[in-house]
Amino acid sequence: MSLSTSLSDKSQLNKKVFVSASAIIIALLLYTAALPKQAQALFTVIQASIVDNGSWFYVLTVAFIFFFVVFLGFSRYGEIRLGPDHATPDYSLVTWLSMLFAAGMGIGLMFFGVAEPLMHYLSPPTAETGTVAAVQEAMKMTFFHWGLHAWAIYAIVALVLAYFSYRHNLPLTLRSALYPLIGERIYQWPGHLVDIFAVVSTVFGVATSLGLGASQVNAGFSYLFGIDVSTSNQIIIMCGITALAVVSVATGLDKGIRRLSEANMILAVSLLVLIFVLGPTVFLLQAYLQNIGDYLADIVHNTFNLFAYKKTDWIGGWTIFYWGWWLAWAPFVGLFIARISRGRTIREFILGVMLIPTVFTLLWMTIFGNSAIDLVYNQGVVELGEMVSQNSSVALFVFLENFPLTTLLSFFSVLMIVIFFVTSCDSGAMVVDMLCSHGSNDTPLWQRIYWAVGIGVVAAILLLAGGLNALQTMTIASALPFAIVLLLAIVGLIKALRVEAFKQESQLIAAIPHASSESNDSWQMRLKNIVDFPNKANVNKFINQTVVPAFDLVAKELQESQINVELTNKDGLSLIVAHGEEQEFVYRVLARKYSQPDFITETAETSEAAEDEQSYYRAEVHLGEGGQDYDIMGWSKTAVINNIIDQYHKHLHFLHLLR
């Protein structure tokens, strides 16, 4: 089975997805805006039915995802790169972490960092309110909802998309995850339906978050500037955030979204350090370590805990809600993370996506959550607990009133919230645009602006009409069908990784020959080839005079055996051997540019002839899965032929293992 199918119109708008998704969004928007109470009632019934009858499925699905992602990180598949073997990461580690953190969790931490631990403390699932046990359980459950399981959901969606897109040249859209299961039908209506679902889910998920978060920004402005908390002011705030998002999405991923994410990470760390220093510092350090210990000690128990022996609505209102919310957000966040993760190995990717953001998220929850509980439990600031119960959007600012530099901290917080919303909006617009454009990020500006403005308009209309709660409920309910699609995608990933493992195993049956494999090559010739640093013209001359004749001889011999062979000069000189429905063999030679080492002098022969004295070229071998990181420059024609045959032998052994 070949996993590389080209799209001739990859950079063009997919009208079937674009028009259908837009129509569904408008229809749902009109329904929830015109009949908000009826819509809320309908979606609430659906969600209640899912919680009552399908909570076991949510818990089992998230548990399987969590343990499967951990297994992948430690398995032999961890060395596989998300891209060709020679690929390098597109972004530095700090930039990468900043962008995935801003898209994945940022705004939630601002909204729930104070509110959720306090709500668990005031109403714990099993402990008695107002006790030390309630404090410990509050932090343990907060860690559970915001920890490894949430990031595992994001990681598996992003991994599936990145693997099939960058490793097998499929479109960077949700449909590609189903290629091992439905094959070429991903380019037909089954694939269109998957992408349409992802578009609708992303637009309403981001719009719901934008609408609910506008109340927190309004609360911050009210505290700082005395602005009234009202629906009209929240609409104005959303218009401003949407305008900023349009500017950001117009500048592209490498400028707007990247710079905003980096700026927000700096602000987040700064705010965290200030609260840590101004609060009970030593206690927070102790609490952080103990919270992690409690969380890890009970992680298996909590993963499978459905409160089957204790009738309570707690799990439906919290754990199932969160699993549904993370699953509903996974198409958006997963595709965005996949977009910025090209070039990383699976192990590096999983460690980066799961471990580092989780450590920071749990540190944030400890510093804000434990500090808030300490104010209520030890210092008697009962109004903070009362405010969380009444209006969680203002909990952060009521919390900050108990610290020095209150105005500065509140200003930092409002600025962070605004930037988080801008990055969520522009990231969502970019993701939806890619879903509607065959995975291409190089699209006309109007498309990105259309979706950025569209998300803002949807949020504003729903806030004005009172339909946000209905859409939030619908978004959670939509997680059920997506969970089924995701499980099927994981099956496809397992099949593809199994093929990849066979491919790697086949590569071990023989060592790569060197130029001396031909008897008339002297050691002096080998040494000259090793220390030579040729220019581009010399490498191209070698390819034309030696590699091309070698390709011709091999192709002629294979064709005499009735084997289909193609020679192309697209993306480098390539010899392609087709094997029907089985994976084709690709042997490609590329002239790749590198910087010269320092010990090369100006008088060297290669330096005098080079078009750029600071660089040289290698004639590198690339197979179907990417560069093999060895140079055949200076090899004889016979040595090149032997290398082609050796690699072809490995490929045939791979096909044998696969059968």
Side-chain angles (χ1 to χ4, degrees), residues 507-521:
Q507 291 292 314
L508 301 177
I509 65 170
I512 298 171
H514 50 70
S516 63
S517 60
E518 191 178 12
S519 59
N520 62 352
D521 280 337

Side-chain angles (χ1 to χ4, degrees), residues 110 132 191 204 280 337 457 561 642 650:
M110 298 300 295
V132 174
F204 282 129
I337 293 175
V457 169
S561 299
N642 286 332
K650 293 178 184 180

Side-chain angles (χ1 to χ4, degrees), residues 85-158:
D85 289 342
H86 61 278
T88 56
D90 291 342
Y91 301 97
S92 68
L93 182 62
V94 173
T95 298
W96 180 57
L97 292 174
S98 298
M99 288 195 288
L100 69 88
F101 178 78
M105 290 287 184
I107 192 59
L109 296 185
M110 298 300 295
F111 198 90
F112 292 104
V114 171
E116 181 168 342
L118 266 178
M119 285 190 279
H120 289 324
Y121 165 71
L122 296 172
S123 181
T126 59
E128 183 180 347
T129 304
T131 63
V132 174
V135 176
Q136 291 179 298
E137 188 167 71
M139 296 311 303
K140 186 191 304 181
M141 298 314 299
T142 301
F143 272 36
F144 179 59
H145 293 149
W146 290 82
L148 295 170
H149 291 73
W151 285 101
I153 294 170
Y154 290 161
I156 192 61
V157 175

